[in-house]
Amino acid sequence: MTSTSDRIAALRASFDSGKTRPEKWRRQQLYQLMTMIEENETAINAALHADLGKSGFEARMTEVGTVLAEIEHTLSKLRSWMRPTRVSTPLSNQPGHSKVVHEPLGVVLIMAPWNYPFNLTLTPLIGAIAAGNCAALKPSEVSANTSALLARLIPAYLDTDAFAVFEGGPEISTELLEQRFDHVFFTGSENIGRIVMTAAAKHLTPVTLELGGKSPCIIAADSDLELAARRVAWGKFLNAGQTCIAPDYVMIDETVSDAFVGHMREAIRKFFGADPKASPDYPRLINERHFDRVSQLMEGGTVAVGGESDRAAKYIAPTLLTGVAPEAEVMREEIFGPVLPVMTYRSLDEAIGFITARPKPLALYVFAKSTEIQNEVIDRTSSGGACINDVVMHLAVPDLPFGGVGASGMGAYHGRASFDTFSHARAVLTKSEHLDVPLRYPPFSDTKLRWLKRLQ
Ligand code: NAD
């Protein structure tokens, strides 16, 4: 068995050979990735179902289809992204011209979580390929079926000189993090993010951290409550709430809270029937540990909708909690499950104050008809991304960078942002040999100084 360090050394040798640089190679790899997905969609769906009970529709919408769309977008833009960007050159450097060259970083490490195990391993990989890198991939051991499938498929379709999949848990992550990479792209929890950043610091390796947090959803009294409930129910119970940008909690005008809860109850019934456990469209929690964790969090309030659970089936019904104290555990940690606390506010100021007093979230949502309310919420808060009158969907706009801010992460990806994350913007100035203005050379004089001041 080849050691981790030997496998990384082999990737580095491939990068140094220059084979990943041509646009043609990058395109070939992206097409191969597309073929891999198209030829194996059934196996991918089966793995996602085995790991998370995801329906074929949900798998297509949030994993397979999203990755295919990212590949297509990247292929359509790749040439223009790779083209050096011309910038103007000041008089002091004339005759000459300046450009930014987008060069690959080298060998990058991509570490993925279990909640969208296919999408969150491959979407960063698309950026790494587009920018001309070699990559080591570390899918999550928790979503074991998808991890095993990726470990089998990737070497069968992509250039094995340039890409390697490492299966395993923290021990293999630790071994990988001891190696020197040119970039580490990590998606996962804040705690492990700290471990990753500390390990990367030893090699001065830059990191992108795609973390989580508690994404709030403000609902104003003037919003279309039925529509808001439908969209929130969709975004919250997608993947049984195990979505980094799921609305973590609702913060609603107290005058419409009861009506909203009623609309949510109705939306859940329409989506999943009277017994969501029997619905083929409603997923399961990933494992018993998370089932226990989320069950515990449900104790932080009064169950207004749902509340049923079955540990053996890793099932927790879509649940709404009311009467939740701000200091309850469910309002302190990221829920990452199908439980939605409904908090109320008396004034928009109070709602905004509640949010800004807490760490900056990955996403923030606001439902309101009034553009003043929409603008006020956006202007006075900060988050990785935001949606007005919807949830989660900002992720599906390829030209919007996706990433966190503050405690929810650093750096961004998707589309051009991915290409930039995995590239170095190298400054290149080309000077002419024909003219050499002597001003900068000693000996200096007052006359030279006067000229310098004029030119600067
Ligand atoms: P995690 O942090 O437990 O695991 C992520 C990766 O780190 C996995 O590959 C895992 O094997 C590895 N890992 C685990 N322990 C490690 C250790 N001690 N040392 C080194 N590596 C280790 O995260 P998770 O539970 O898989 O995912 C859930 C979290 O991810 C949530 O907080 C969620 O919000 C976040 N998330 C963020 C995004 C985003 O795009 N920002 C997307 C999905 C999930």
Side-chain angles (χ1 to χ4, degrees):
M1 188 75 180
T2 324
S3 73
T4 298
S5 60
D6 286 349
R7 292 178 74 192
I8 303 301
L11 295 180
R12 191 161 295 288
S14 305
F15 180 74
D16 291 343
S17 76
K19 76 181 299 188
T20 65
R21 287 178 180 256
E23 183 189 338
K24 187 165 170 237
W25 181 90
R26 303 183 198 192
R27 282 190 182 279
Q28 271 168 355
Q29 297 306 306
L30 291 170
Y31 278 118
Q32 279 297 104
L33 197 56
M34 200 182 262
T35 308
M36 176 189 109
I37 297 167
E38 283 165 355
E39 289 182 357
N40 295 280
E41 191 165 349
T42 309
I44 296 164
N45 284 353
L48 291 168
H49 191 268
D51 284 331
L52 288 144
K54 269 186 208 196
S55 65
F57 186 92
E58 197 171 314
R60 178 75 198 190
M61 178 170 57
T62 62
E63 304 248 24
V64 172
T66 315
V67 173
L68 287 173
E70 181 77 10
I71 297 175
E72 276 168 24
H73 179 72
T74 303
L75 282 166
S76 72
K77 302 277 180 169
L78 185 60
R79 184 156 301 160
S80 69
W81 292 345
M82 286 179 69
R83 206 173 290 136
T85 316
R86 279 242 182 201
V87 297
S88 62
T89 306
L91 194 59
S92 54
N93 261 316
Q94 296 294 350
H97 61 264
S98 312
K99 61 186 174 185
V100 178
V101 175
H102 308 284
E103 62 175 30
L105 295 172
V107 181
V108 302
L109 171 62
I110 295 169
M111 297 174 72
W114 51 261
N115 62 332
Y116 289 88
F118 186 78
N119 181 346
L120 299 177
T121 309
L122 296 188
T123 302
L125 176 65
I126 295 164
I129 296 173
N133 297 280
C134 291
L137 301 172
K138 219 301 281 163
S140 173
E141 74 287 3
V142 179
S143 42
N145 295 284
T146 311
S147 175
L149 184 67
L150 288 170
R152 180 166 67 77
L153 293 181
I154 286 177
Y157 285 85
L158 298 193
D159 185 341
T160 49
D161 291 347
F163 306 105
V165 182
F166 292 80
E167 275 198 280
E171 59 311 324
I172 183 72
S173 303
T174 308
E175 229 176 277
L176 278 165
L177 288 168
E178 280 162 10
Q179 314 299 313
R180 186 179 70 77
F181 289 96
D182 299 290
H183 193 91
V184 176
F185 188 102
F186 171 82
T187 308
S189 62
E190 198 180 317
N191 283 343
I192 309 298
R194 276 200 187 88
I195 296 177
V196 169
M197 195 169 174
T198 307
K202 280 197 198 122
H203 299 286
L204 284 181
T205 297
V207 292
T208 300
L209 299 180
E210 296 282 341
L211 311 176
K214 292 184 81 61
S215 299
C217 178
I218 295 183
I219 302 178
D222 75 340
S223 62
D224 178 338
L225 290 180
E226 196 184 344
L227 178 76
R230 199 158 51 237
R231 291 184 174 170
V232 170
W234 170 78
K236 179 69 185 187
F237 302 118
L238 191 71
N239 204 24
Q242 300 162 110
T243 302
C244 55
I245 49 170
D248 185 273
Y249 63 96
V250 158
M251 181 56 82
I252 189 164
D253 186 306
E254 64 175 6
T255 60
V256 292
S257 172
D258 289 348
F260 173 75
V261 171
H263 287 305
M264 282 291 285
R265 185 179 294 113
E266 189 52 22
I268 293 166
R269 199 191 54 76
K270 278 192 181 147
F271 290 175
F272 306 115
D275 177 17
K277 195 175 172 195
S279 165
D281 299 329
Y282 185 65
R284 297 294 180 259
L285 297 208
I286 184 77
N287 56 28
E288 282 79 9
R289 187 169 77 76
H290 282 279
F291 174 91
D292 293 341
R293 187 184 57 76
V294 177
S295 301
Q296 190 94 50
L297 294 180
M298 280 163 68
E299 288 166 18
T302 308
V303 171
V305 180
E308 306 81 17
S309 65
D310 174 353
R311 192 173 193 270
K314 292 174 283 183
Y315 165 78
I316 295 181
T319 297
L320 262 67
L321 296 182
T322 53
V324 178
E327 55 283 352
E329 193 60 27
V330 72
M331 283 308 294
R332 280 193 282 131
E333 70 170 74
E334 179 183 9
I335 298 169
F336 222 55
V339 175
L340 183 72
V342 180
M343 314 292 285
T344 56
Y345 67 81
R346 289 204 182 119
S347 67
L348 195 59
D349 255 0
E350 185 191 337
I352 291 173
F354 187 89
I355 290 164
T356 53
R358 287 165 173 73
K360 290 181 181 176
L362 185 59
L364 181 145
Y365 306 117
V366 50
F367 286 84
K369 278 204 180 63
S370 143
T371 46
E372 283 90 61
I373 295 179
Q374 297 171 359
N375 293 340
E376 192 171 350
V377 170
I378 297 298
D379 289 351
R380 291 179 55 199
T381 60
S382 175
S383 64
C387 287
I388 296 166
N389 292 331
D390 208 341
V391 298
V392 175
M393 293 304 288
H394 59 302
L395 167 127
V397 180
D399 285 326
L400 282 180
F402 182 82
V405 58
S408 56
M410 60 184 72
Y413 73 135
H414 288 188
R416 172 86 211 208
S418 279
F419 181 84
D420 289 341
T421 284
F422 288 107
S423 301
H424 167 57
R426 187 180 194 184
V428 179
L429 167 69
T430 307
K431 292 292 286 276
S432 159
E433 287 181 310
H434 293 309
L435 185 69
D436 192 27
V437 182
L439 178 69
R440 64 176 150 156
Y441 301 124
F444 302 128
S445 65
D446 287 348
T447 315
K448 276 191 173 178
L449 187 60
R450 272 197 301 279
W451 272 107
L452 180 68
K453 284 182 177 171
R454 241 191 242 178
L455 287 170
Q456 271 180 331

